[in-house]
Amino acid sequence: MTEVEWWEYEGTAEFAAAVAGDLQFVIESALDARGAAVIALAGGTTPAPIYAKLAAAKLDWKKVTIVPTDERIVPLGDKLSNVTMIGKTFIPKGARVMPIVPQATADHKAAGRSADALMQDLHWPLDLCLLGMGEDGHTASIFPGPDYDEALSGPRERRALGVMPDPLPPEAPVARVSLSRQGIVTAKVLTIAITGAAKRKVLEEAIAQGESSRYPIGRVLAEVELPVDIHWAP
């Protein structure tokens, strides 16, 4: 069973500061070890205050490369673009924020192959992967649909792929590019940050179900080899 440690906070301010502190420590450790860090950060609204706190850290940001854990296949600058949101916070600090979908395309498979090729040029495994989770149990952009099995069980060397959720999420009804399960679980540090009682209930159930979970995050975390820190606030 997946080894997890829950960290609970009374409010979102304490939550954001604590998670940012943990991420800072991981980045500092990578910089000390080899003079560079490669990290994957989740999109969405939950991590925004975390990133604001993290960006204030006195790090050598020019040696930090950031990729999104997943990206909607939309033009750069679009309100749905995860890398645009991340970039607004960290590019001014000097970090290298790498778009994995440089242009919108109707072919999500081709977008996935392009993103995987970009990932292949990065130092691997990731020093850190920060995941979020939707109330439906998806993480990154690993959703049920025609690409679900490939995202979970594709070739070990594949780091990213194109994903067409089925059904499309109403808040962002577009195809995606996502880190694969293998790209996620091989990270040196794997952290999850979520808020709300509903998400906690889903995540606890998903972890308990393991490989047979009906939730994508349960399948992603099943039998993961490294301990996972889960940060939660109401």
Side-chain angles (χ1 to χ4, degrees), residues 27-106:
I27 295 169
E28 286 175 337
S29 297
L31 293 175
D32 289 343
R34 68 169 202 282
V38 180
I39 65 174
L41 298 181
T45 56
T46 297
I50 297 171
Y51 300 159
K53 292 281 188 182
L54 179 60
K58 293 182 179 180
L59 294 167
D60 192 349
W61 286 106
K62 292 182 179 179
K63 296 179 179 178
V64 179
T65 297
I66 304 172
V67 297
T69 59
D70 62 306
E71 181 61 291
R72 286 80 174 257
I73 302 179
V74 294
L76 290 174
D78 190 284
K79 65 181 182 179
L80 295 179
S81 169
N82 286 333
V83 80
T84 297
M85 182 273 283
I86 294 168
K88 286 179 179 178
T89 301
F90 293 104
I91 288 176
K93 307 302 294 187
R96 177 193 180 199
V97 179
M98 193 173 84
I100 57 174
V101 179
Q103 60 185 15
T105 174

Side-chain angles (χ1 to χ4, degrees), residues 8-9 13 27-28 39 56 62 70 73 93 100 108-109 118 133 135 147 156 159 167 177 179 184 187 191 200 217:
E8 301 180 11
Y9 308 95
I27 295 169
E28 286 175 337
I39 65 174
K62 292 182 179 179
D70 62 306
I73 302 179
K93 307 302 294 187
I100 57 174
H108 72 281
K109 290 286 194 180
L118 290 171
M133 188 197 74
E135 289 190 7
D147 308 294
R156 293 181 62 85
R159 299 173 182 177
V177 165
L179 286 177
I184 291 168
T191 300
R200 175 164 188 157
I217 197 164

Side-chain angles (χ1 to χ4, degrees), residues 136 143-145 164-170:
D136 59 357
F143 285 91
M164 180 66 76
D166 184 16
L168 286 170

Side-chain angles (χ1 to χ4, degrees), residues 110-171:
R113 290 191 294 270
S114 174
D116 186 62
L118 290 171
M119 297 279 193
Q120 297 294 333
D121 289 336
L122 297 177
H123 183 277
W124 213 262
L126 293 164
D127 295 296
L128 163 72
C129 181
L130 175 68
L131 294 176
M133 188 197 74
E135 289 190 7
D136 59 357
H138 83 271
T139 192
S141 273
I142 300 181
F143 285 91
D147 308 294
Y148 190 39
D149 287 342
E150 185 179 359
L152 294 171
S153 307
R156 293 181 62 85
E157 66 274 10
R158 182 172 296 156
R159 299 173 182 177
L161 74 160
V163 176
M164 180 66 76
D166 184 16
L168 286 170
E171 71 278 6

